[in-house]
Amino acid sequence: KENSPEGWRFVERQNYSIALDEETVFNGNYAVSITSKEDYQELGGINEFQYIAYNLPYNFQGKRIRVSGYMKTENVSDKGWAGFYIRVDPFVDFINMRSYNITGTTNWAKYELEVDINDDASSFSVGAMMANQGKMWIDNLEVFVDGVK
């Protein structure tokens, strides 16, 4: 799709759009935005969030993955939240920032998540997700394995 972040995986759900944004950035040329559409309709269940993911093979030695990046939000509904996530497959671990309760409008801030890698891991994905209504931007997302970028 035109104006989409290259290399990232996502399926735009009915209530959301994903785009590169060259005006609202932390630094550099672009940030990625997830936006609920103006005609947002509560559907319930799995359709109430949008994600964007970057898949990485597990072809390295390491015991811990850390994701670090910057995020900004606008009018994220208090029924929802915005944040990063890490998923280790085959589905052996999944953590996200839901408990951070990031809602409303926030300025650029740095966030980090970490998870241990166990011997069953064969791949992992990192990304961002927003539940319910609002808009979020992500920028400078980095992945570290055992502290090494």
Side-chain angles (χ1 to χ4, degrees), residues 15 22 25 80 140 145 149:
N15 283 322
E22 58 186 50
V25 298
N140 287 8
V145 177
K149 189 165 143 181

Side-chain angles (χ1 to χ4, degrees), residues 25-95:
V25 298
F26 178 73
N27 69 10
N29 296 323
Y30 298 98
V32 175
S33 67
I34 298 176
T35 309
S36 63
K37 294 181 179 176
E38 284 188 31
D39 63 348
Y40 180 94
Q41 299 173 0
E42 285 200 27
L43 302 170
I46 195 164
N47 294 311
E48 297 299 335
F49 74 91
Q50 177 66 63
Y51 73 94
I52 182 165
Y54 198 88
N55 293 335
L56 298 162
Y58 182 55
N59 59 359
F60 50 82
Q61 297 297 313
K63 295 295 178 193
R64 192 147 182 84
I65 297 172
R66 178 170 40 102
V67 172
S68 174
Y70 289 83
M71 182 176 63
K72 176 181 174 146
T73 64
E74 181 179 276
N75 299 325
V76 173
S77 165
D78 58 4
K79 290 182 177 180
W81 60 278
F84 301 142
Y85 77 87
I86 302 172
R87 177 176 167 153
V88 180
D89 284 310
F91 200 63
V92 292
D93 208 342
F94 179 81
I95 62 166

Side-chain angles (χ1 to χ4, degrees), residues 64-139:
R64 192 147 182 84
I65 297 172
R66 178 170 40 102
V67 172
S68 174
Y70 289 83
M71 182 176 63
K72 176 181 174 146
T73 64
E74 181 179 276
N75 299 325
V76 173
S77 165
D78 58 4
K79 290 182 177 180
W81 60 278
F84 301 142
Y85 77 87
I86 302 172
R87 177 176 167 153
V88 180
D89 284 310
F91 200 63
V92 292
D93 208 342
F94 179 81
I95 62 166
N96 61 43
M97 292 173 51
R98 184 178 192 154
S99 65
Y100 289 48
N101 200 32
I102 298 171
T103 60
T105 299
T106 63
N107 205 349
W108 288 108
K110 185 175 184 177
Y111 297 95
E112 295 185 332
L113 281 177
E114 286 189 76
V115 67
D116 290 328
I117 306 169
N118 69 32
D119 294 337
D120 295 331
S122 61
S123 67
F124 67 95
S125 62
V126 299
M129 57 195 314
M130 184 181 72
N132 212 280
Q133 294 175 283
K135 184 169 188 173
M136 73 178 296
W137 292 265
I138 60 169
D139 204 347

